[in-house]
Amino acid sequence: MSAGVAPAPVDAPDAARRIEETARRLVEAGDCAPRPARDPVNEPMINNWTEALGDANPAYPGQAPPAMVQVWTMGGLHGRRAADDPLGAMSAVLDEAGFTSVVATDCAQTYARVLRPGERLAIRSRLTGVAGPKRTALGEGWFVTTVSTWTVDDEPVAEMMFRILKFRPPPPPEPPREVPRPQVNRDTAYFWEGTAVGELRIQRCGGCGALRHPPGPMCPRCGATRPGYVVASGRGEVYSFVVHHHPPLPGRRAPFVVALVELEEGVRVLGELRGVEPGAVRVGLPVEVGLDRIDDELVLPAWRPR
Amino acid sequence: MSRAPAAPPAVGTELPALRLDVTTTFVVSTALATRDFQDVHHDRAAAVARGSQDIFLNILTTTGLVQRCVTDWAGPGAVVRAVSIRLGVPCYAGDELVLGGRVAEVAAGPDGDEVVVGVVGRCSLGDHVTGTVRVVLP
């Protein structure tokens, strides 16, 4: 797996039970200890805020914008959650279960009174609920709701319900495989149209009925130029093979095996032989065709032991 | 442009739209002004590596802009009691965000008219935010 993919989830019911148990314990534990703001409510930070948001309300900075309340107690550039912070504890358990991404979904703030420069805030938080697992547009996840209270001395001055979605990021799409692509022409189109629909097609002379591969415009036996095809059973034996070590090829990891397979129908077809160690391949090995879907336009035939 | 402080507003009154050019500078400066240092709000390469198309507005800024949409209209004497939002699609750098409000409830209170305004913020991908602001008008 590539980097950035969420760790494989532990057994899902087990993970859900652990998430719910942690949630119950944290809800019962109630408020964490109050954490003081780094700075008192102050005019420079209010001015930075109103400047950035373009808010020209003349009530500021003599009073703080109410919606700025959360700013005073943000953790900052190097912030670390306190050990008893309920969102931190809950997030750790959800991370472990593979719900590693986070997005804020709801925020409801109420303000008991106006705050003015010089006041020193503290915040305390409690977990009020964890709901999931839910299917969302972003992926499967759990909604985590906390309620925080800001105080000045011991007076509650504002409260906030905050809800986040902790979700499992969907796996990134497989990168397209770069492989050498076949030249498709009027002689060979039937073959690649066949692999696209899961058929291994063998050219058959429209004159004498002889089978031949690789395809060509004229029958080497009777000279007719009216080729058709039959669908092969896909079963055969290794007639000959090479183990490719070098040079490197796009879309392949060396060493790999290229086998010439004699089909039950009597013609021989080349393809990669997969699903067997190179050292274990031998002439006469019974194989069958499998299909290696490269992308929407190309399906390569490949052999596998049967 | 704020409203004239005369009669209480009628339910259904539309607020003036707040149009914002969400430049990279806007996303970064508002993220830092709200002390939100998550890389997805200032580092484009990190945001793309996490599956986003660009850096995007942080929730503290969206909350502040929803409030601003209402206070620009309500004027400096208004007291904001609550801002409640739900986020929809992300608002990426390079987009335009248009916030609009509509008076949903009006009730006489001890300190003035208590007004609830429904706010919707739209960007090119759809609704970025829906929410309500509860405000007391003097």
Side-chain angles (χ1 to χ4, degrees):
Chain A
M1 271 192 185
S2 57
V5 173
V10 284
D11 175 44
D14 196 44
R17 195 162 54 243
R18 194 161 346 141
I19 290 164
E20 281 162 357
E21 276 168 14
T22 304
R24 204 173 307 126
R25 181 170 55 76
L26 289 169
V27 169
E28 276 171 20
D31 274 317
C32 64
R35 180 171 56 81
R38 186 191 68 176
D39 303 300
V41 174
N42 65 85
E43 291 194 0
M45 282 174 62
I46 295 171
N47 286 333
N48 285 343
W49 189 95
T50 56
E51 186 178 18
L53 272 77
D55 195 331
N57 189 337
Y60 317 141
Q63 56 176 263
M68 201 181 160
V69 66
Q70 197 180 354
V71 175
W72 306 114
T73 50
M74 287 292 276
L77 185 53
H78 305 293
R80 283 205 169 162
R81 291 188 182 283
D84 67 345
D85 179 278
L87 193 53
M90 198 63 239
S91 293
V93 172
L94 287 162
D95 284 341
E96 205 176 295
F99 302 97
T100 51
S101 291
V102 63
V103 62
T105 62
D106 296 82
C107 173
Q109 300 180 343
T110 54
Y111 317 106
R113 67 165 174 82
V114 162
L115 297 172
R116 296 187 187 281
E119 297 197 272
R120 289 194 168 271
L121 291 175
I123 185 173
R124 57 174 199 255
S125 300
R126 64 185 193 275
L127 187 76
T128 58
V130 174
K134 308 239 188 220
R135 296 206 171 278
T136 75
L138 293 169
E140 188 187 21
W142 295 71
F143 288 94
V144 180
T145 308
T146 55
V147 170
S148 298
T149 307
W150 285 276
T151 53
V152 172
D153 299 323
D154 286 329
E155 176 202 358
V157 292
E159 194 172 82
M160 172 176 69
M161 181 277 287
F162 201 74
R163 183 170 295 136
I164 61 167
L165 171 67
K166 285 283 286 174
F167 65 100
R168 189 195 309 283
E174 290 277 322
R177 282 165 65 198
E178 294 295 329
V179 299
R181 303 185 83 88
Q183 292 289 329
V184 179
N185 57 33
R186 281 191 297 174
D187 290 336
T188 62
Y190 77 95
F191 182 85
W192 300 111
E193 287 161 10
T195 59
V197 296
E199 293 178 357
L200 182 63
R201 294 176 178 175
I202 303 298
Q203 202 171 44
R204 181 171 64 180
C205 177
C208 69
L211 299 178
R212 62 182 194 261
H213 189 88
M218 180 186 285
C219 175
R221 195 166 77 176
C222 75
T225 53
R226 292 180 282 116
Y229 67 83
V230 294
V231 177
S233 71
R235 287 188 297 273
E237 300 184 342
V238 172
Y239 181 82
S240 175
F241 69 96
V242 296
V243 179
H244 184 101
H245 293 275
H246 197 76
L249 283 177
R252 297 272 184 276
R253 185 175 299 172
F256 61 91
V257 178
V258 180
L260 182 64
V261 168
E262 184 159 286
L263 295 176
E264 289 177 339
E265 290 82 0
V267 297
R268 296 172 195 152
V269 180
L270 267 175
E272 185 181 354
L273 173 56
R274 309 174 123 200
V276 57
E277 286 298 310
V281 181
R282 56 180 173 78
V283 169
L285 182 74
V287 298
E288 63 185 0
V289 75
L291 294 165
D292 183 10
R293 180 167 293 278
I294 303 299
D295 52 38
D296 288 345
E297 288 173 1
L298 179 61
V299 180
L300 294 176
W303 307 109
R304 60 185 179 217
R306 63 179 159 96
Chain B
M1 192 173 49
S2 57
R3 60 182 278 278
V11 170
T13 301
E14 300 276 345
L15 277 58
L18 173 58
R19 290 182 174 273
L20 295 157
D21 197 6
V22 182
T23 60
T24 297
T25 301
F26 186 79
V27 175
V28 173
S29 58
T30 52
L32 300 191
T34 53
R35 288 182 47 74
D36 185 340
F37 300 95
Q38 296 286 326
D39 56 16
V40 291
H41 305 309
H42 64 260
D43 182 338
R44 183 172 192 278
V48 169
R50 291 179 191 276
S52 296
Q53 68 182 57
D54 207 322
I55 59 169
F56 54 91
L57 282 185
N58 68 328
I59 189 169
L60 281 76
T61 296
T62 299
T63 307
L65 294 174
V66 167
Q67 174 186 259
R68 184 189 149 191
C69 176
V70 174
T71 54
D72 277 1
W73 163 78
V79 178
V80 178
R81 294 282 194 219
V83 177
S84 178
I85 65 165
R86 166 159 293 182
L87 289 184
V89 298
C91 184
Y92 291 114
D95 210 338
E96 185 190 41
L97 179 64
V98 181
L99 293 137
R102 188 173 175 276
V103 174
E105 293 171 35
V106 181
D111 308 316
D113 297 315
E114 292 206 5
V115 175
V116 177
V117 180
V119 177
V120 178
R122 294 195 176 92
C123 59
S124 64
L125 295 178
D127 286 356
H128 165 62
V129 61
T130 53
T132 57
V133 176
R134 192 154 50 83
V135 67
V136 178
L137 303 181

